[in-house]
Amino acid sequence: MKHLVPLAACLALGAPASAQEDPIYAPCLDASRVTADFSDVQAAGWTHLTAAQRREQAAPPLAEVELAARSLPYSFLDVEEATEFAGQALATYLSTLGIHEIFTRDGQTASISADVDQPGRVTVRCVFAGMEVADVATIFASDVRASEDLAISFGSIPDPARPDGVQSLEITAIRFEGDEAVLAPLSVREAVIVTLVREVAQ
């Protein structure tokens, strides 16, 4: 059985991503230290949302990215289909909101979650979403997969460098595709998803 655990107990967040060349997802990668108050993420310009109402208000972009990544939806034929997708995504995400730490910065939203899937090993998932996420273009410049049948295109960084203590690392970019009038009900266009598995003290 998987056990969800407090992030402060298992998630190491990196030093502030102050260098302009650092990717948006840099705080998710550094496994050098643990922080209980997410001060490192906040030092990188992210606001940690703790009030229930603010967390729910920030949830739609993350919800839409998570459902798209999981279901690979077909292209939306009209506004009604996009609206239905957004509503389904939010309803599903809100039921799991308690396992996510939510952050906002400059019109973008991020989430961090973690669970121990076996003793001594934690899986961390970070999502960075917005109308435009600079690192998506960088990833797509070297790898992009698209289909006229799908509502999203996606790409990944092949064999990304893993920080010490990280056993596996996947970095994926997602972009919603289609006519802007049809996509209008969505609160997001681009995202980067980071999934890593790392060792933790038992």
Side-chain angles (χ1 to χ4, degrees):
M1 176 183 296
K2 291 186 178 182
H3 298 283
L4 296 174
V5 291
L7 289 182
C10 70
L11 176 58
L13 294 171
S18 56
Q20 190 171 1
E21 65 271 14
D22 284 348
I24 193 172
Y25 52 83
C28 194
L29 300 182
D30 193 330
S32 62
R33 55 187 176 183
V34 175
T35 177
D37 59 3
F38 299 100
S39 59
D40 292 332
V41 180
Q42 294 178 78
W46 293 95
T47 299
H48 186 197
L49 305 184
T50 56
Q53 182 177 8
R54 295 190 67 195
R55 285 163 51 81
E56 291 183 9
Q57 290 173 342
L62 301 168
E64 292 158 18
V65 168
E66 290 284 19
L67 181 57
R70 186 170 67 250
S71 65
L72 297 179
Y74 287 112
S75 299
F76 306 122
L77 297 179
D78 49 37
V79 171
E80 287 73 20
E81 283 195 358
T83 301
E84 182 180 358
F85 173 86
Q88 177 187 356
L90 184 58
T92 302
Y93 194 81
L94 289 179
S95 69
T96 66
L97 190 59
I99 68 173
H100 301 284
E101 298 292 340
I102 308 295
F103 305 83
T104 58
R105 186 183 76 178
D106 299 332
Q108 298 177 327
T109 309
S111 67
I112 302 174
S113 60
D115 69 82
V116 174
D117 48 21
Q118 68 182 46
R121 195 177 81 167
V122 62
T123 297
V124 178
R125 184 175 177 86
C126 304
V127 178
F128 302 86
M131 297 303 287
E132 183 177 0
V133 178
D135 298 288
V136 171
T138 302
I139 294 171
F140 277 13
S142 58
D143 178 44
V144 59
R145 283 155 277 173
S147 168
E148 292 183 359
D149 295 332
L150 296 181
I152 61 170
S153 56
F154 54 94
S156 61
I157 298 177
D159 194 25
R162 290 178 291 173
D164 292 342
V166 172
Q167 299 170 338
S168 67
L169 173 62
E170 296 179 1
I171 303 173
T172 302
I174 287 178
R175 177 181 290 152
F176 282 88
E177 304 287 359
D179 186 275
E180 274 300 314
V182 173
L183 297 179
L186 303 184
S187 58
V188 65
R189 295 293 183 275
E190 297 184 341
V192 174
I193 300 174
V194 178
T195 304
L196 63 87
V197 176
R198 73 176 187 83
E199 301 168 351
V200 292
Q202 299 187 52

